[in-house]
Amino acid sequence: MTYSKPRSGAGLALLLLCAANFLDAMDVSTIGVALPAIQTELGIPATSLQWAVSAYVLGYGGFLLLGGRVADLFGHRRVFLWSLGVFAAASIAGGFVDSAPTLIAARLIKGIAAAFTAPAALALLLSVFGEGSARAKALGVFSSTGAAGFVLGMVLGGAATIISWRATLVMGAPVAILALVLAPFVLPTDHRRTGPRPHFDWAGALTITPGLLLFVFGITNAASAGWQAFPTWGALVAALVLILLFLLVEARHRDPMVPLAIFRRAKLSHANAIAALFQGSYVGFQFIATLYYQDVVGWSAFATGFSFAFGGVCVMFLAPRFAAIGQNRGTTGLMTLGVGLQAISYVFWVLSVGNINPILLVAVSQLLLGVGYAMTYPSVQVAALSDVEDDKSGLASGLLFASFQIGGGIVLAAASATFGAAPSFGWNPYIAGTAFVAILAATVTLLAAVGPRTSTSRSNVYQAAE
């Protein structure tokens, strides 16, 4: 699929796409620090409270593959505008929720909307910017806003909670509405396809979407109810059956939702694996560190959220530069160094927690984490999209974002299980949980180091030769 040039400057188009990307990432973590206030006002049981966070991840992770494919088939701009409108409406509705079901429903709808917005936005960026340094810089800025949105979500959520916990749900709406007003004037229009339109793979959509939903539900439920709970293992078994059916369908469909040959692209598959594991390591650490800073050190929700700001600032300023380096010099080495710095940060935290001043602990660990995250996040995106055609960019983006979400859920569940089981073995739960994350990060560093050294040569995509 090709696109006409945007009627306005590419810079404004990039600004709008980055704003949407920031909102999608921010909403993953922004509500976390508001949970105590939500529980007090709405009277939500503790067992149900975590679904205020998990519902967004459930919708986001479960619909990403469908969102990416729909954007490729029906137009990236069209899907971007509709999904951003739904996101804005759900954000406003969140300010009026009066019970746990309405809160969870609003969060779920926002997550589903983000699952369509995110891959469409990244595909639009690839269409707006041509090959070479301009695209590398744009991708770096886009990556940095997504990473910063996730990392700074807790900071912004803590600040908004000072006003009202409802502000954490509504604060993205004005930005989304402004983007909706300006987007039709600056984003490229979708050209009509030449030739017959591909048939939509309904069988694929009806197997992979509930399959991913059940999988994300299962691993999310494991973090709160345990792996032996029927909703956990029952959902995972059902997910496995649906995903196997999906693979059978895709192998036989003439216009598959996910052409299985895409997984033979070494750069894309390697980048997806790194994305899932490095993001999962960070989410697991964030979960444990947040508990430590509040329950042991005694910091407030705002102070705890603010403790992650330093890393977020590093990501905002450094990610665009590392994206350009990855574009020009290759991504494998950059990913390896980035995940390695994160592993060092986790090891430092394990060895230093309780032995040094908490402020110094935060400063050093966040510096290493921020620089490492700024290296890894854009490198993963450059690598994943380096040998994918434009008409599959939405699908590839959906695969990548799904890797981030699902990897985060899996590792969070494992880190939470380690944290919960540690006292029965006489271990400090904070040290045990972070040690698990550190070991995983060290393993991911080795996996990153053995990544592919070449990329497919194409005239219309990234050249990421090592």
Side-chain angles (χ1 to χ4, degrees):
M1 183 182 294
T2 58
Y3 291 87
S4 63
K5 295 293 184 181
R7 285 171 284 178
S8 206
L12 185 54
L14 177 62
L15 178 63
L16 293 179
L17 297 173
C18 287
N21 190 36
F22 185 90
L23 293 179
D24 291 343
M26 178 192 72
D27 251 285
V28 175
S29 57
T30 190
I31 199 174
V33 294
L35 292 180
I38 293 173
Q39 184 178 25
T40 299
E41 182 169 334
L42 299 184
I44 301 176
T47 54
S48 302
L49 191 62
Q50 60 105 9
W51 286 108
V53 178
S54 300
Y56 184 86
V57 178
L58 181 66
Y60 198 177
F63 280 82
L64 270 167
L65 284 185
L66 179 61
R69 186 56 175 161
V70 167
D72 284 340
L73 289 178
F74 298 103
H76 297 142
R77 190 178 84 153
R78 182 180 296 110
V79 171
F80 176 80
L81 292 175
W82 277 100
S83 55
L84 189 60
V86 173
F87 186 94
S91 297
I92 295 171
F96 299 94
V97 299
D98 58 1
S99 64
T102 55
L103 172 65
I104 293 171
R107 293 283 294 166
L108 177 64
I109 293 171
K110 287 181 76 173
I112 295 172
F116 285 81
T117 303
L122 185 50
L124 281 166
L125 181 143
L126 299 181
S127 299
V128 169
F129 291 89
E131 179 189 353
S133 61
R135 179 181 280 190
K137 291 178 182 178
L139 184 59
V141 174
F142 186 84
S143 299
S144 69
T145 57
F150 177 79
V151 175
L152 294 177
M154 293 184 65
V155 182
L156 298 174
T161 305
I162 296 176
I163 303 172
S164 169
W165 64 264
R166 296 179 186 272
T168 64
L169 300 172
V170 180
M171 63 182 180
V175 178
I177 292 172
L178 180 61
L180 274 174
V181 171
L182 297 177
F185 300 100
V186 298
L187 294 181
T189 57
D190 300 323
H191 278 200
R192 291 185 178 180
R193 286 179 175 270
T194 58
R197 178 185 291 274
H199 294 279
F200 187 73
D201 180 9
W202 289 106
L206 293 175
T207 50
I208 192 59
T209 301
L212 287 177
L213 280 169
L214 287 168
F215 186 75
V216 176
F217 173 85
I219 59 177
T220 302
N221 195 69
S224 58
W227 294 99
Q228 296 181 340
F230 173 76
T232 298
W233 64 261
L236 292 176
V237 170
L240 177 61
V241 172
L242 287 170
I243 291 172
L244 289 175
L245 286 174
F246 169 75
L247 294 176
L248 291 175
V249 168
E250 298 308 278
R252 291 168 171 78
H253 201 282
R254 62 175 178 173
D255 288 316
M257 180 177 167
V258 180
L260 299 184
I262 200 169
F263 295 106
R264 292 200 294 265
R265 306 196 181 200
K267 281 272 186 180
L268 177 62
S269 296
H270 181 254
N272 284 339
I274 299 300
L277 295 174
F278 108 85
Q279 178 72 359
S281 299
Y282 179 79
V283 171
F285 170 75
Q286 186 185 59
F287 167 77
I288 294 168
T290 299
L291 292 177
Y292 177 79
Y293 295 144
Q294 292 192 71
D295 297 342
V296 178
V297 180
W299 287 349
S300 66
F302 176 73
T304 299
F306 191 76
S307 69
F308 293 90
F310 187 30
V313 170
C314 291
V315 172
M316 289 179 64
F317 285 99
L318 296 179
R321 292 162 176 80
F322 287 128
I325 294 173
Q327 165 72 11
N328 296 325
R329 301 182 183 179
T331 56
T332 300
L334 202 58
M335 273 192 273
T336 303
L337 181 57
V339 181
L341 284 175
Q342 290 178 295
I344 293 172
S345 175
Y346 303 142
V347 171
F348 170 80
W349 202 92
V350 168
L351 297 177
S352 303
V353 67
N355 298 320
I356 65 174
N357 185 282
I359 296 177
L360 180 60
L361 176 68
V362 167
V364 176
S365 63
Q366 284 295 305
L367 175 62
L368 293 169
L369 268 180
V371 175
Y373 204 100
M375 288 181 175
T376 310
Y377 194 98
S379 300
V380 164
Q381 289 199 350
V382 170
L385 300 169
S386 63
D387 57 354
V388 177
E389 300 88 340
D390 284 346
D391 65 347
K392 292 184 176 63
S393 58
L395 172 60
S397 303
L399 285 168
L400 181 63
F401 285 120
S403 297
F404 278 113
Q405 296 302 317
I406 294 173
I410 292 174
V411 179
L412 174 59
S416 176
T418 303
F419 179 87
S424 62
F425 293 94
W427 300 338
N428 182 310
Y430 303 99
I431 292 178
T434 308
F436 166 78
V437 170
I439 293 171
L440 178 61
T443 304
V444 180
T445 303
L446 297 176
L447 178 62
V450 299
R453 296 286 171 178
T454 58
S455 65
T456 302
S457 179
R458 294 185 182 274
S459 61
N460 63 336
V461 294
Y462 284 101
Q463 301 300 313
E466 295 289 338

